[in-house]
Amino acid sequence: MEKLFHNLYRTGTTPNRRGLITPYFLVRKEGNILIGHQTGPTDADIREIKKLGGIDAQFICHNHDTLRNGLHEALHAKFGCELHVHEGERKAVRKKTKCPTELFGDEGLQVGSDFEALYFPACTEGHSVYRWRSRGKYFMFTSHSMYIRDNKWNIACRLRPQVAKVAKLQVDYMFPGYTGLEDETFYRLNDQLKKSFGRTLRAKLKSAARATSTRQVEEDNYV
């Protein structure tokens, strides 16, 4: 495993034809968490994870990140860690793994005092992102819903009311699950990026509201 911060590790990083896929391992007093993205820790990583206290919970952002190779089940058998995912992903996830699963709804999920699941529909209706507070900083794990390109945000999401909650959150570091070979593997947000993060999401919401209002007026006029 590669240690990124005092208690945050990159584990099982896997190259593909487009770049790198990276799961993350969080060491917490309230129980360690593995956030997977289409791949998982190697055997050597799992031995190191055991020394660090094992895994208390597995999380994935959406069903595309589910492992079909039995690793979810193997990790549950070894550490007792259930797989956590939004209820909208349940059916698709169950087709890929039989690991015991803990579901959460649109309201998200609070895990201890420092970790939260946030409903953020993107490429799938049940897509979620995760935010963790460690040593006074906030780390967000986003699968492939958020990137920074040329110092500007590239955010893909379905415009639901829950997006407004995410727009208000403090974020200091952001970790995509997928990055190009020449891309930054994670982002440290300066003041400009922190401010533009919320503005970008709010602008998306306003644009969607205007489009909905316009469609309603057109429908009313047609009737």
Side-chain angles (χ1 to χ4, degrees):
M1 293 197 299
E2 179 186 0
K3 188 172 186 177
L4 299 177
F5 290 85
H6 173 71
N7 45 9
L8 173 60
Y9 295 80
R10 187 158 43 205
T11 174
T13 300
T14 304
N16 65 10
R17 60 187 176 84
R18 292 182 294 179
L20 298 176
I21 304 172
T22 304
Y24 297 95
F25 179 62
L26 287 55
V27 178
R28 306 166 59 245
K29 291 181 180 179
E30 298 176 79
N32 299 340
I33 288 175
L34 178 70
I35 301 175
H37 298 108
Q38 289 190 8
T39 186
T42 65
D43 290 343
D45 291 337
I46 291 172
R47 289 193 292 270
E48 189 172 352
I49 285 171
K50 184 177 180 180
K51 294 177 182 177
L52 291 169
I55 303 170
D56 286 78
Q58 303 179 63
F59 281 83
I60 54 175
C61 293
H62 61 339
N63 76 82
H64 299 164
D65 291 326
T66 313
L67 302 177
R68 295 177 179 267
N69 60 2
L71 185 56
H72 289 308
E73 294 92 328
L75 292 174
H76 178 264
K78 188 174 185 65
F79 299 115
C81 48
E82 293 183 340
L83 180 63
H84 293 69
V85 66
H86 185 274
E87 60 189 6
E89 303 296 278
R90 180 188 64 82
K91 187 175 180 180
V93 166
R94 294 305 290 170
K95 291 179 179 179
K96 301 175 183 179
T97 178
K98 301 305 179 185
C99 180
T101 303
E102 180 79 19
L103 302 175
F104 57 87
D106 294 358
E107 72 282 0
L109 178 69
Q110 184 71 39
V111 182
S113 61
D114 61 342
F115 185 88
E116 59 185 328
L118 300 155
Y119 177 49
F120 192 82
C123 60
T124 67
E125 184 61 43
H127 185 282
S128 300
V129 297
Y130 303 108
R131 191 176 71 142
W132 177 45
R133 187 184 73 254
S134 178
R135 296 192 165 195
K137 299 295 183 181
Y138 287 90
F139 302 77
M140 185 172 282
F141 304 87
T142 64
S143 190
H144 50 201
S145 62
M146 301 180 193
Y147 293 97
I148 297 173
R149 298 281 189 266
D150 298 323
N151 216 37
K152 294 181 179 180
W153 287 101
N154 184 344
I155 301 175
C157 64
R158 304 184 187 204
L159 299 170
R160 305 287 187 270
Q162 291 79 6
V163 172
K165 177 182 177 180
V166 176
K168 297 176 182 178
L169 296 176
Q170 178 181 340
V171 181
D172 297 293
Y173 295 90
M174 189 167 287
F175 296 82
Y178 307 85
T179 53
L181 291 174
E182 297 182 358
D183 291 344
E184 295 182 68
T185 53
F186 67 90
Y187 313 121
R188 181 184 183 279
L189 276 55
N190 57 27
D191 288 342
Q192 177 185 350
L193 287 171
K194 288 178 182 179
K195 292 176 182 177
S196 63
F197 174 65
R199 285 200 303 267
T200 300
L201 285 177
R202 288 191 292 272
K204 284 179 172 287
L205 288 169
K206 288 180 180 179
S207 177
R210 286 196 297 268
T212 299
S213 178
T214 299
R215 285 196 300 270
Q216 186 61 56
V217 169
E218 291 174 348
E219 290 172 2
D220 292 344
N221 289 338
Y222 178 77
V223 172

